[in-house]
Amino acid sequence: MARISTVIATSHSPFMFEPVQWWTATRDARRYAPDVPVDDDGQNRLKRRRIEAGFAALHDIVRQARPDVMVVFGDDQSEQFDLRNHPAFAVYVGGRFHGYKAVRYAGPLGSREWKPKTAEHWAGVDTRPDLARELLYGLMDAGVDPAFMTALPDEDVGMGHAFMRPAGPLTGGRFDIPMVPVLVNCLYAPQPTAARCVQVARVVRDVIARWPADLSVAVVGSGGLWHTPGSADAYLDEAFDRAVLAHVRSGDADALARYFDGWAPAPERASLACFRSFDGGSRMRSGVGSGVGETRNWIMAAAVADRPGVVIDYIPVYASPCGIGVAHWIMD
């Protein structure tokens, strides 16, 4: 029978992959909320080393688990879907795909110039269409009706960064573990509630457990934690992040979902423009969105594990600003 050998949650911010000089240049080019601290180069280098240590720890966990396949919960940011058609959930059931290994921008964050699709920047990832179809069927049998993808609508852009970025560190840069991407709409209103994400994640867990193939499966939640990229008055809500991580440690995914779905900004921040980005431009009723909305993928990982997790590190990167976290769950 298939077994879940490890569950991981990790941020995938571009700051995790770029040097400190890039951090400084990004901070210098942007205007954040006035209470966002400014780290000097020494502090940023220390935080960069902590990120590298977190990646190394996750790689060790994956190496020990020896998974045959990774099921990854991640979002799509206008890489394959846009507001003309954006499903709440989608399962990629196609064959080998390609994408940028990490940050595709050749210049500053958001640059129109992209890095060349050479082996340094561009990679292919194998898949397990048999497991992907099993997840699709199992979700539909359980009353979840996701979209499915037999190929990438835009192969030039490639698979979204939520899937490609963690694949590198988790595989030691080899991109040699097949992947089943499960796409979750985290940014574009109306987004699924965290409670619905918990339900979907538990169906995924149960389908894997019932599958008769002798496979070791790693489940990964990719994204978050707090960040509202592109917002002029962006700030870092460390209280939000630490509450999320406290629920990760407690192992109560339902309580984590209730916290997320019930969250509201403090009155003194409620008028900030960064919250207008929570709808992703759809102008429809929104749950927690922007980059913060990717926390749904952590919640789904927590729901798959359904036990206390281990927070490896939490790193507030003020140059973004983004709360960067890495965590895992020890499975039987």
Side-chain angles (χ1 to χ4, degrees):
M1 301 295 288
R3 64 199 181 282
I4 296 174
S5 53
T6 188
V7 179
I8 287 167
T10 177
S11 302
H12 62 229
S13 165
F15 289 78
M16 302 174 75
F17 300 89
E18 295 291 330
V20 165
Q21 296 90 331
W22 190 88
W23 294 22
T24 303
T26 300
R27 178 68 190 253
D28 289 346
R30 294 187 169 195
R31 183 178 300 169
Y32 299 143
D35 60 345
V36 177
V38 178
D39 286 331
D40 61 30
D41 285 349
Q43 292 169 311
N44 282 333
R45 283 193 292 270
L46 176 60
K47 290 183 176 183
R48 187 68 179 80
R49 287 196 292 270
R50 287 171 61 187
I51 290 169
E52 292 170 358
F55 275 154
L58 293 181
H59 178 227
D60 286 345
I61 290 164
V62 171
R63 186 174 55 197
Q64 293 169 15
R66 301 178 64 185
D68 300 297
V69 59
M70 295 191 297
V71 174
V72 182
F73 299 119
D75 61 304
D76 185 270
Q77 296 184 26
S78 297
E79 290 142 330
Q80 299 302 322
F81 299 128
D82 59 29
L83 291 180
R84 292 173 296 181
N85 179 22
H86 207 301
F89 301 98
V91 181
Y92 182 83
V93 298
R96 182 175 173 85
F97 58 79
H98 294 77
Y100 279 98
K101 291 182 177 180
V103 182
R104 73 186 184 193
Y105 309 116
L109 188 63
S111 170
R112 293 178 181 272
E113 182 184 358
W114 292 1
K115 295 175 181 175
K117 293 184 175 69
T118 60
E120 180 183 1
H121 306 297
W122 185 258
V125 180
D126 288 330
T127 62
R128 284 297 301 249
D130 51 352
L131 176 56
R133 289 192 296 268
E134 197 69 20
L135 292 179
L136 177 65
Y137 302 152
L139 286 165
M140 296 184 75
D141 290 343
V144 182
D145 298 314
F148 64 90
M149 306 165 66
T150 61
L152 296 183
D154 193 337
E155 293 185 353
D156 184 56
V157 173
M159 182 60 77
H161 67 273
F163 303 93
M164 296 300 297
R165 287 181 189 170
L170 294 180
T171 64
R174 294 185 297 273
F175 294 86
D176 58 354
I177 301 176
M179 184 189 301
V180 174
V182 179
L183 290 81
V184 182
N185 175 24
C186 297
L187 274 76
Y188 305 101
Q191 306 96 331
T193 65
R196 182 58 166 167
C197 289
V198 166
Q199 295 171 351
V200 171
R202 286 177 176 153
V203 173
V204 168
R205 177 196 63 196
D206 294 345
V207 171
I208 293 171
R210 292 195 303 267
W211 205 40
D214 183 17
L215 282 181
S216 169
V217 180
V219 174
V220 180
S222 172
L225 293 165
W226 184 280
H227 62 299
T228 57
S231 298
D233 56 4
Y235 74 103
L236 178 51
D237 194 328
E238 294 182 53
F240 173 91
D241 287 347
R242 296 192 186 282
V244 168
L245 296 176
H247 286 298
V248 166
R249 292 186 181 97
S250 76
D252 191 338
D254 295 298
L256 174 52
R258 288 193 296 272
Y259 172 77
F260 183 91
D261 287 336
W263 183 88
E268 64 271 18
R269 293 197 186 269
S271 62
L272 290 179
C274 63
F275 296 121
R276 293 199 288 274
S277 69
F278 271 19
D279 68 6
S282 72
R283 299 185 179 181
M284 289 189 278
R285 186 181 67 190
S286 180
V288 176
S290 190
V292 191
E294 295 173 337
T295 306
R296 288 173 176 83
N297 299 319
W298 280 62
I299 295 169
M300 295 181 80
V304 168
D306 257 345
R307 66 192 64 198
V310 178
V311 176
I312 296 170
D313 203 355
Y314 173 71
I315 307 143
V317 174
Y318 301 124
S320 177
C322 179
I324 290 175
V326 285
H328 75 111
W329 287 261
I330 299 170
M331 307 301 289
D332 297 333

